[in-house]
């Protein structure tokens, strides 16, 4: 759909547009500072309207963090079926979004709403970043280590919730995971050895990793057993709780992927809502990354490496 639509060659201050499937657009203000701009919205992923607002807001703000930036301001995007759902529920959605914006230290400064057949909510977010600290998804180097900040399985457990099969304690874990801000991205960006960063969302771990590989002209190796998972992911997959998006992701990327079991497809291509940061870091800076994550109160797990490619084709290997 996007092919040929965006020609930004006449805008030299636009440092990052749509060309490399990055997380946000970046526009230079001067030689040192830039503005990050992004938007994201979707239909409800949970029944509680307040939690839906929180998740959608955390997901939208994440793109600023993934570029190494600090959010400044957000505007709400709201679609609401005014004739079928009470306005009080829409207010709860907005309250959830506002509270996450407050947690991120930014105002929810306004927005736009429409009458829509289904509820839709998200944010348009602006942030700031030092140009020297912009973290694109295409800057990985051969030998870099690959780190992940949140466990996989959000799509699987969200499907289990919709089917009424998710244990209450697991429902709380996945909710907390989706609402956790990726604010550590701004701290990671200040580490010289962090060469590339993105967040894991709708294309799953391997889909977003392949975007990093393609942009960086590298292959990647992922160590299957090192990837953190939410509780009982395999049991929920066996119960039929994998979302259809995992198989669609596999069909989209299969030419660059190895032969995979159905289980691995449903884990490593599971669409994540407000997933974690995926980080390429030099071996010399691993300790700095781990220390920064600990100081931010989050975990970060080493899950693989980047390798030079001996062919024009990029790909991912699971070991």
């Amino acid at each position: 759909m996007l092919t040929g639509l965006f020609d930004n060659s006449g805008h030299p201050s636009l440092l990052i547009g749509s060309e490399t499937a990055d997380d946000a657009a970046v526009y230079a203000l001067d030689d040192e500072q830039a503005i990050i701009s992004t938007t994201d919205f979707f239909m409800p992923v949970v029944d509680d309207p307040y939690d839906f607002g929180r998740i959608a807001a955390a997901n939208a703000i994440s793109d600023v963090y993934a570029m190494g930036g600090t959010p400044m301001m957000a505007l709400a995007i709201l679609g609401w079926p005014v004739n079928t759902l009470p306005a009080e529920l829409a207010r709860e959605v907005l309250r959830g979004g506002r509270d996450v914006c407050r947690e991120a230290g930014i105002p929810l400064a306004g927005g736009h709403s429409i009458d829509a057949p289904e509820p839709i909510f998200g944010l348009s977010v602006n942030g700031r970043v030092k140009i020297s600290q912009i973290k694109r998804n295409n800057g990985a180097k051969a030998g870099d280590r690959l780190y992940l900040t949140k466990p996989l399985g959000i799509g699987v457990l969200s499907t289990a919730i919709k089917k009424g099969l998710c244990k209450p304690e697991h429902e709380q874990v996945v909710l907390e995971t989706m609402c956790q801000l990726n604010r550590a991205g701004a701290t990671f960006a200040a580490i010289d050895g962090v060469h590339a960063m993105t967040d894991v969302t709708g294309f799953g771990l391997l889909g977003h990793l392949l975007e990093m590989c393609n942009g960086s002209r590298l292959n990647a190796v992922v160590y299957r057993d090192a990837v953190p998972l939410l509780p009982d992911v395999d049991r929920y997959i066996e119960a039929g709780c994998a979302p259809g998006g995992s198989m669609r992701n596999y069909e989209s990327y299969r030419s660059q992927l190895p032969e995979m079991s159905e289980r691995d497809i449903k884990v490593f291509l599971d669409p994540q809502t407000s997933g974690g940061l995926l980080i390429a870091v030099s071996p010399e800076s691993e300790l700095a990354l781990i220390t920064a994550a600990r100081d931010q109160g989050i975990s970060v797990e080493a899950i693989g490496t980047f390798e030079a490619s001996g062919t024009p084709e990029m790909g991912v290997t699971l070991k």
Side-chain angles (χ1 to χ4, degrees):
M1 289 187 291
L2 299 179
T3 302
L5 288 180
F6 296 101
D7 178 9
N8 296 312
S9 56
H11 299 276
S13 293
L14 183 66
L15 304 181
I16 301 175
S18 62
E19 298 80 15
T20 57
D22 230 315
D23 294 296
V26 181
Y27 191 93
L29 295 176
D30 52 36
D31 291 340
E32 296 184 355
Q33 297 286 331
I35 291 287
I36 300 172
S37 186
T38 185
T39 185
D40 206 325
F41 52 90
F42 43 72
M43 291 184 289
V45 293
V46 294
D47 288 334
D48 184 274
Y50 177 75
D51 287 337
F52 170 42
R54 293 169 66 209
I55 293 165
N59 181 75
I61 296 170
S62 177
D63 285 340
V64 171
Y65 293 131
M67 300 300 298
T70 300
M72 298 163 53
M73 180 180 71
L75 299 175
I77 299 163
L78 177 70
W80 201 256
V82 294
N83 292 327
T84 56
L85 288 178
E88 290 79 8
L89 294 183
R91 182 178 175 82
E92 283 298 289
V93 173
L94 289 165
R95 187 171 70 88
R98 180 208 63 187
D99 286 356
V100 165
C101 287
R102 284 180 173 175
E103 184 182 349
I106 63 174
L108 183 56
H112 187 68
S113 60
I114 62 168
D115 185 2
E118 299 285 343
I120 297 169
F121 182 67
L123 301 178
S124 172
V125 189
N126 290 323
R128 64 182 181 275
V129 65
K130 291 182 179 179
I131 292 176
S132 61
Q133 293 183 2
I134 295 170
K135 299 302 174 185
R136 304 188 63 159
N137 64 1
N138 64 353
K141 301 181 185 300
D144 278 354
R145 305 291 196 258
L146 185 65
Y147 277 80
L148 179 66
T149 64
K150 288 186 184 182
L152 300 185
I154 290 172
V156 171
L157 267 69
S158 295
T159 304
I161 292 171
K162 293 174 184 176
K163 292 188 173 188
L165 298 176
C166 192
K167 294 180 180 179
E169 61 269 28
H170 295 165
E171 186 171 345
Q172 187 60 35
V173 169
V174 72
L175 176 62
E176 290 173 357
T177 300
M178 288 189 285
C179 291
Q180 177 184 305
L181 289 170
N182 283 326
R183 67 168 81 245
T187 302
F188 297 156
I191 300 172
D192 287 340
V194 171
H195 296 141
M197 194 157 54
T198 191
D199 57 354
V200 181
T201 51
F203 297 141
L205 172 68
L206 296 189
H208 290 284
L209 176 55
L210 278 170
E211 290 180 340
M212 297 180 81
C213 290
N214 292 336
S216 305
R217 309 304 299 167
L218 297 171
N219 291 328
V221 176
V222 172
Y223 301 109
R224 180 186 282 104
D225 294 338
V227 177
L229 303 179
L230 287 169
D232 278 2
V233 165
D234 284 311
R235 185 177 71 81
Y236 288 122
I237 288 174
E238 291 172 1
C241 294
S246 54
M247 189 57 68
R248 289 193 294 274
N249 283 337
Y250 179 63
E251 292 300 326
S252 295
Y253 292 106
R254 67 184 308 167
S255 64
Q256 294 180 271
L257 295 171
E259 288 295 320
M260 296 173 65
S261 68
E262 186 174 333
R263 180 265 181 189
D264 281 353
I265 291 172
K266 291 176 178 178
V267 169
F268 297 110
L269 287 149
D270 180 41
Q272 307 295 284
T273 301
S274 191
L277 296 173
L278 193 59
I279 306 147
V281 60
S282 68
E284 296 80 11
S285 294
E286 282 183 283
L287 181 58
L289 179 76
I290 294 167
T291 301
R294 184 180 64 237
D295 291 345
Q296 292 281 321
I298 64 170
S299 62
V300 60
E301 302 292 336
I303 65 167
T305 59
F306 285 95
E307 298 179 345
S309 174
T311 69
E313 299 298 322
M314 308 300 113
V316 173
T317 301
L318 279 175
K319 288 188 176 180

